[in-house]
Amino acid sequence: MNKYAKKSVGEILLQKGAISLQQLEKAEAERKISGESLCRIIPRLGFMTQAQMVETIAEQASILQIDLANQLIDPKIIALVPEELARKHLLIPLFKVANTLTCAMVDVFDVQSLDELVLRTGLVIEPAIATENEIRKALDDFYLEGGMQNILKSMDDNKSEHKQEDEVETHSLQRVGEDAPVIKFINLTIAKAVSDGASDIHIEPEENMLNIRFRVDGMLHQQALPPKQFRSAIIARIKIMASLDIAEHRKPQDGRIQIAIVNKRIDIRVSFLPTIYGENVVMRLLDTSTINLGLEQIGFQHEILDGYRELLHRPHGIILVTGPTGSGKTTTLYSSVSTINKPEQSIMTIEDPVEYRLEGIRQTQVDLKVDMTFARGLRSILRQDPDVIMIGEIRDTETAQIAIQAALTGHLVLATLHTNSAAGAITRLIDIGVEPFLLSSSVIGVVAQRLVRLTCKECAGRGCKTCSMTGYKGRTGIYELMIPDQHTRDQILSRASMEDIHKGAVDRGMKSLRECGLMKVAQGLTSTEEVVRVTQ
């Protein structure tokens, strides 16, 4: 037994001088609240990287350090530990010698995990250590990928039993959609998408195949392809899960699925669109655990955060959040209203659709089938005595005018708009018919934003298994905040161009999107190429 065997992770790191006493106390306080291991908390708080922690613990406690990036593991060894147990304790079995099973773990000092592993396997457990990111990637590679390969093999072995696409009759769609291999394929596809951090699953019919891609960090990535014969069954299964009409192939359909994966509740918005080769399906994954993100966590830099927070605490006026589709506008709105959500305030929303349920906030969904438009819903909300109103998107003149009037009559209004810059929001509203004098009196701030990919921490951008060889892992926001002053208001009244309004704001201190992006490049968070890509 080594001299560190009875020491805690915190004591080992403190004795080595890897962290300070103050940092350890902060991590311990977090552990008492979250119940997580210090091995996960300390890197998350930024006191050490995962790699530094693993190296230090391995050296000081004489524990085997494993690099899982290029590790090959026998499927028979993987089968010794149930996936549920491996994910619960963040470990992966590596190899077995006689009656001893060596497992890579995040927390090698977790006695309860080791005891449970002994009971479930009946083997002596020898712990090794690896980073959390490596273990999570290995779990997906050897459990999800292995499971997917088995399912695809099963489907391939049974494809002769399935009729060709055009031979499948309507009355048999329910049955083929409930075939066990099809159900397992869909479940594993969704689970892998969640694990990979995908925002969307694209299921795309081609002439001779059914293509499947995940959108991860804004980019589409190819996935394993099922046999073409299962195309109807896969589409039917998704419709069954979304409670849609499986016999309807000619009209677009939209639905919703709720599913629990790895202790997360995932809401899935599903869209079906007929194409020449069959129905195209896009599944938008909404992880409800992300709705409590603070403004700092979504990327607001300190240079503009104070100004934006001050706007959120004003009693009235309209704040516009702008950017193209997929730039994170909805997340910013949710984070903003969560910041000011207090018992003494009434906050109401009108959205299309309601993506996340927010506790303590009254949310209304647009429904064109019953003529519940943004404008009609907004009028009704104003009769409900709200303090704060969130509008999912301003799409037309009527909605814009009601929102402006609400801001002028004592309400704080937050809304999104599809424009490429903060200044563009002003000219866009004028273009759709809002009078300049109303805008100059009501708009208190405009945020423009983009999402940039973060440089992978494991490989510093070179490309590794953790980031699927892209060099990037995760995304963060970059922002420009325009707070109209008297000069800007005069420009609005004189119908100045977007370029002139933007230049005037920059001349008086506003940092542009590209400037904010380059600040994150200087911090080592992203690359110049990535900032240029999203701001050009």
Side-chain angles (χ1 to χ4, degrees), residues 455-528:
T455 303
C456 176
K457 293 180 180 178
E458 296 300 312
C459 64
R462 294 187 300 274
C464 64
K465 288 186 70 175
T466 298
C467 62
S468 301
M469 305 307 296
T470 64
Y472 298 97
K473 186 68 175 176
R475 288 192 292 178
T476 190
I478 58 173
Y479 305 85
E480 65 181 23
L481 173 63
M482 184 176 77
I483 301 177
D485 57 13
Q486 189 56 52
H487 184 273
T488 307
R489 298 189 189 284
D490 290 342
Q491 286 183 307
I492 295 172
L493 289 170
S494 65
R495 296 177 181 263
S497 68
M498 176 181 66
E499 292 76 14
D500 286 344
I501 294 175
H502 178 81
K503 183 179 183 303
V506 170
D507 288 344
R508 293 187 308 284
M510 182 185 82
K511 285 190 166 43
S512 68
L513 278 168
R514 181 163 291 188
E515 284 181 280
C516 291
L518 293 176
M519 289 169 62
K520 294 202 170 184
V521 172
Q523 295 167 355
L525 298 175
T526 188
S527 67
T528 303

Side-chain angles (χ1 to χ4, degrees), residues 212-423:
I212 297 181
R213 297 189 291 173
F214 294 168
R215 188 176 294 281
V216 180
D217 296 336
M219 301 293 185
L220 287 169
H221 298 269
Q222 187 67 52
Q223 303 299 311
L225 303 179
K228 182 190 173 185
Q229 285 84 349
F230 285 82
R231 177 159 64 181
S232 292
I234 289 169
I235 300 299
R237 177 60 193 167
I238 298 171
K239 287 184 177 179
I240 290 168
M241 295 173 72
S243 301
L244 296 174
D245 184 356
I246 61 174
E248 180 56 71
H249 308 291
R250 298 168 300 172
K251 297 179 181 178
Q253 293 192 74
D254 296 301
R256 196 165 194 139
I257 299 169
Q258 288 191 336
I259 191 169
I261 296 177
V262 196
N263 297 321
K264 287 184 177 181
R265 196 191 84 183
I266 306 296
D267 286 345
I268 305 174
R269 279 174 26 210
V270 190
S271 173
F272 292 81
L273 179 70
T275 71
I276 59 172
Y277 293 124
E279 290 176 276
N280 196 79
V281 186
V282 175
M283 307 172 72
R284 167 65 56 88
L285 308 179
L286 305 171
D287 181 357
T288 57
S289 67
T290 65
I291 64 174
N292 292 320
L293 291 176
L295 295 171
E296 302 96 333
Q297 292 168 288
I298 63 174
F300 265 92
Q301 50 267 52
H302 295 294
E303 291 77 7
I304 69 170
L305 187 54
D306 290 343
Y308 185 65
R309 278 209 177 106
E310 190 274 326
L311 295 178
L312 291 175
H313 288 90
R314 291 194 189 181
H316 55 81
I318 184 167
I319 301 172
L320 299 168
V321 180
T322 75
T325 300
S327 59
K329 299 186 299 296
T330 301
T331 299
T332 297
L333 282 189
Y334 278 126
S335 297
S336 299
V337 295
S338 295
T339 297
I340 57 176
N341 185 15
K342 296 179 176 60
E344 59 269 23
Q345 282 205 115
S346 171
I347 302 177
M348 306 191 76
T349 78
I350 177 75
E351 307 170 58
D352 182 24
V354 172
E355 294 193 357
Y356 299 109
R357 272 65 170 177
L358 299 174
E359 186 176 350
I361 293 175
R362 255 43 66 194
Q363 296 173 269
T364 302
Q365 183 158 307
V366 167
D367 188 349
L368 298 182
K369 293 177 182 177
V370 294
D371 199 28
M372 173 62 83
T373 62
F374 273 110
R376 174 163 289 194
L378 190 50
R379 283 198 201 92
S380 298
I381 284 174
L382 287 171
R383 293 192 287 270
Q384 295 281 313
D385 187 33
D387 297 295
V388 180
I389 302 168
M390 186 187 103
I391 305 171
E393 184 183 348
I394 293 178
R395 298 176 180 172
D396 54 67
T397 304
E398 188 178 12
T399 304
Q401 290 175 336
I402 299 170
I404 296 293
Q405 289 297 333
L408 291 171
T409 54
H411 305 86
L412 181 65
V413 179
L414 292 88
T416 73
L417 200 63
H418 279 274
T419 62
N420 289 326
S421 67

Side-chain angles (χ1 to χ4, degrees), residues 115-145:
D115 288 346
E116 186 173 355
L117 204 52
V118 169
L119 288 173
R120 294 288 289 272
T121 63
L123 300 169
V124 175
I125 303 300
E126 179 71 27
I129 192 167
T131 68
E132 180 179 346
N133 285 348
E134 287 180 335
I135 288 179
R136 288 191 182 278
K137 180 64 175 173
L139 286 168
D140 294 340
D141 286 346
F142 294 106
Y143 284 103
L144 284 181
E145 293 286 359

Side-chain angles (χ1 to χ4, degrees), residues 4-202:
Y4 290 99
K6 294 185 179 180
K7 290 182 178 291
S8 70
V9 171
E11 289 173 325
I12 289 176
L13 297 177
L14 191 63
Q15 184 173 327
K16 176 65 176 175
I19 60 174
S20 67
L21 179 59
Q22 184 181 13
Q23 288 174 328
L24 177 58
E25 289 173 347
K26 186 173 181 179
E28 286 284 6
E30 175 69 18
R31 183 182 62 80
K32 290 177 181 177
I33 295 172
S34 67
E36 288 183 309
S37 161
L38 288 179
C39 291
R40 298 183 64 193
I41 293 171
I42 289 173
R44 177 158 55 78
L45 292 178
F47 300 153
M48 303 178 72
T49 66
Q50 291 181 21
Q52 289 170 336
M53 168 170 280
V54 165
E55 186 177 348
T56 302
I57 292 175
E59 177 187 343
Q60 296 299 306
S62 300
I63 291 174
L64 176 64
Q65 179 180 350
I66 298 292
D67 179 4
L68 290 173
N70 300 305
Q71 192 80 21
L72 294 176
I73 306 175
D74 189 334
K76 293 178 181 178
I77 298 299
I78 292 293
L80 292 172
V81 178
E83 181 180 359
E84 177 188 2
L85 183 65
R87 290 190 182 278
K88 175 183 175 183
H89 296 304
L90 286 178
L91 58 88
I92 193 88
L94 299 172
F95 47 84
K96 178 175 173 286
V97 177
N99 200 41
T100 299
L101 178 66
T102 299
C103 293
M105 307 176 67
V106 172
D107 187 352
V108 293
F109 302 103
D110 187 345
V111 177
Q112 290 184 338
S113 297
L114 292 169
D115 288 346
E116 186 173 355
L117 204 52
V118 169
L119 288 173
R120 294 288 289 272
T121 63
L123 300 169
V124 175
I125 303 300
E126 179 71 27
I129 192 167
T131 68
E132 180 179 346
N133 285 348
E134 287 180 335
I135 288 179
R136 288 191 182 278
K137 180 64 175 173
L139 286 168
D140 294 340
D141 286 346
F142 294 106
Y143 284 103
L144 284 181
E145 293 286 359
M148 181 63 78
Q149 292 305 316
N150 290 335
I151 292 298
L152 289 173
K153 184 178 185 302
S154 171
M155 295 172 80
D156 197 55
D157 291 344
N158 293 301
K159 66 183 180 183
S160 60
E161 299 176 11
H162 274 253
K163 296 180 180 180
Q164 291 295 323
E165 180 90 12
D166 54 3
E167 296 177 351
V168 178
E169 299 173 357
T170 298
H171 64 78
S172 66
L173 284 172
Q174 181 84 26
R175 177 181 58 79
V176 300
E178 293 179 348
D179 279 358
V182 173
I183 292 174
K184 289 180 181 177
F185 176 81
I186 294 298
N187 290 345
L188 274 175
T189 297
I190 295 173
K192 186 174 187 303
V194 171
S195 177
D196 287 357
S199 60
D200 303 85
I201 301 171
H202 288 242

Side-chain angles (χ1 to χ4, degrees), residues 425-441:
I426 301 297
T427 54
R428 169 66 177 152
L429 289 173
I430 292 175
D431 288 344
I432 65 173
V434 178
E435 290 294 337
F437 75 91
L438 293 175
L439 286 177
S440 67
S441 303

